[in-house]
């Protein structure tokens, strides 16, 4: 009998790609999502790619009694928890929305895992927990700085909640994966990043600008202390990121992890500026973007990229897809969604 994994937030961008990679690796998957920032196209895309009729439950993880029914119905031992609001700028403007949703949903997951004896959880964390790091690249031992947004603060708080919970209660193990900047889409162009409303992340805004959905792309700041004045980030292909979740879950199921709680950076180890990314997108897709320099954006850190040696050594995982291939996949996905030839 196959191991089953619950993917909360599995209709979303990273969740849907992870569901595909779990199935490819031989796992059964059940997806739980309230579709607040996604729709059924993500689940349908997973079904088309894998030819598996993946079960889907429309449920809000903040509604504990409704969420309990998922635990009653499905016999999974492992959870990958993605369900959270994720827009940095919105979290600065409306912090209570983020604290209420991101913390309550996560605590409900942990409570129900304890109640039903489900031992393994991978938490979707973020490089935002490092804030403005003093030294780059950041390692898992890099001190966490005060978060520059409520979103980042919820990730720090959830990491702390997970650490304390698995250390306090027998039978629980946890891994936090600190992602850097996920971009791109599945090579099939059947799933990708499709935010509701105006995109809060760079690459979907780029692709929507290229598609004519957005009039102009804003590059927030060209006066930072970086080689070209724009922010530096570590852009990780979403398929590579999804595969990291599979090896993390497998590590816990096979009891290879050396501690009840572990943390891993998931990135490429390379810093790429916003302007470099824009120029690379134009080059690989042979088009010109309408973009302008805009004022700095509240909550943005100047520069951050990962030291991924721990994940490389302990998980046997590393980023494999090139930035060019990733940016091609992002544009292929956008064209497929918009019906552009």
């Amino acid at each position: 009998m196959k191991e089953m994994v619950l993917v909360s937030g599995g209709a979303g961008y990273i969740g849907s790609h992870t569901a595909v990679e779990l199935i490819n690796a031989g796992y059964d998957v059940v997806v739980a999502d309230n579709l607040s920032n996604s729709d059924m196209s993500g689940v349908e895309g997973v079904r088309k790619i894998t030819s598996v009729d993946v079960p889907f439950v429309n449920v809000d993880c903040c509604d504990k009694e409704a969420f309990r029914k998922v635990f009653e119905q499905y016999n999974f031992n492992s959870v990958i928890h993605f369900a959270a609001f994720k827009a940095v700028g919105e979290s600065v403007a409306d912090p209570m929305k983020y604290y209420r949703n991101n913390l309550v949903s996560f605590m409900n997951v942990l409570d129900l895992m304890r109640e039903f004896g489900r031992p393994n959880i991978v938490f979707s964390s973020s490089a935002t927990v490092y804030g403005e790091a003093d030294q780059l690249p950041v390692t898992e031992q890099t001190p966490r700085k005060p978060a520059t947004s409520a979103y980042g603060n919820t990730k720090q708080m959830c990491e702390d909640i997970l650490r304390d919970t698995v250390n306090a209660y027998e039978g629980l193990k946890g891994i936090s994966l600190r992602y850097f900047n996920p971009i791109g889409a599945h090579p099939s162009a059947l799933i990708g990043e499709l935010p509701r409303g105006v995109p809060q992340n760079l690459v979907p805004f780029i692709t929507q600008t290229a598609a004519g959905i957005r009039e102009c792309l804003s590059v927030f700041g060209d006066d930072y202390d970086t080689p070209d004045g724009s922010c530096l980030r570590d852009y990780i292909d979403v398929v590579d990121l999804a595969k990291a979740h599979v090896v993390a879950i497998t590590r816990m199921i096979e009891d290879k992890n050396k501690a009840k709680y572990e943390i891993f950076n998931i990135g490429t180890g390379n810093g790429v500026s916003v302007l470099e990314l824009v120029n690379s997108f134009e080059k690989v897709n042979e088009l010109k973007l309408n973009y302008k320099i805009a004022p700095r954006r509240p909550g943005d850190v100047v520069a951050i990229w990962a030291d991924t040696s721990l994940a490389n050594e302990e998980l046997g995982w590393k980023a494999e897809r090139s930035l060019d291939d990733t940016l091609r996949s992002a544009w292929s996905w956008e064209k497929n969604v918009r019906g552009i030839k």
Side-chain angles (χ1 to χ4, degrees), residues 53-318:
D53 189 17
V54 176
F56 169 76
V57 184
N58 189 332
V59 64
D60 186 343
C61 299
C62 290
D63 183 342
K64 192 173 183 180
E65 293 313 304
F67 197 24
R68 176 177 277 109
K69 294 175 183 176
V70 180
F71 282 75
E72 291 171 345
Q73 184 174 358
Y74 294 97
N75 187 28
F76 50 85
N77 282 320
S78 303
V79 179
I80 302 179
H81 183 66
F82 294 104
F85 295 146
K86 62 176 186 175
V88 169
E90 182 187 52
S91 80
V92 173
D94 191 2
M96 284 300 292
K97 175 180 178 180
Y98 276 67
Y99 290 124
R100 186 174 294 111
N101 182 77
N102 293 7
L103 299 181
V104 171
S105 63
F106 188 53
M107 289 188 288
N108 284 347
V109 169
L110 293 175
D111 275 346
L112 290 167
M113 287 180 67
R114 288 181 57 217
E115 180 180 333
F116 286 86
R118 312 294 168 83
N120 307 313
I121 182 164
V122 171
F123 172 59
S124 165
S125 191
S126 166
T128 56
V129 302
Y130 295 114
E132 291 279 7
D134 291 331
Q135 288 186 310
L136 293 169
V138 292
T139 74
E140 290 80 359
Q141 283 70 48
T142 296
R144 296 186 323 187
K145 291 291 192 72
T148 57
S149 67
Y151 165 75
N153 204 22
T154 64
K155 293 300 185 182
Q156 289 185 344
M157 294 167 79
C158 285
E159 283 192 359
D160 293 344
I161 290 167
L162 180 56
R163 177 201 63 212
D164 293 347
T165 301
V166 299
N167 286 332
Y169 304 111
E170 283 299 316
L172 283 179
K173 293 185 290 186
I175 291 177
S176 288
L177 298 183
R178 291 175 176 169
Y179 318 156
F180 282 69
N181 287 64
I183 61 171
H186 193 268
S188 67
L190 290 172
I191 53 175
E193 189 168 11
L194 187 62
R196 290 192 172 174
V198 179
Q200 299 289 320
N201 293 333
L202 176 60
V203 170
F205 210 112
I206 287 175
T207 58
Q208 289 191 19
T209 303
I213 309 299
R214 306 294 159 194
E215 183 180 345
C216 183
L217 168 72
S218 293
V219 174
F220 296 107
D222 66 348
D223 57 351
Y224 288 104
D225 184 18
T226 61
D228 63 16
S230 64
C231 292
L232 289 172
R233 295 290 183 269
D234 187 336
Y235 295 101
I236 171 78
D237 187 282
V238 67
V239 175
D240 283 335
L241 174 59
K243 290 177 179 177
H245 294 80
V246 178
V247 295
I249 280 290
T250 302
R251 180 179 177 84
M252 285 192 288
I253 290 172
E254 296 180 356
D255 205 26
K256 292 177 182 175
N257 53 328
K258 298 170 185 174
K260 292 193 71 179
Y261 177 57
E262 296 180 298
I263 298 167
F264 298 99
N265 285 339
I266 305 297
T268 66
N270 300 312
V272 176
S273 78
V274 172
L275 287 171
E276 282 181 297
L277 191 80
V278 169
N279 294 334
S280 294
F281 181 87
E282 290 181 324
K283 181 181 176 183
V284 301
N285 294 305
E286 299 180 343
L287 50 77
K288 292 299 291 182
L289 285 171
N290 183 27
Y291 69 90
K292 66 179 181 182
I293 304 301
R296 296 183 181 193
R297 183 173 58 175
D300 280 342
V301 300
V302 177
I304 190 163
W305 65 91
D307 180 330
T308 61
S309 55
L310 187 66
N312 301 157
E313 294 161 10
E314 286 291 322
L315 297 179
W317 170 93
K318 65 177 180 179

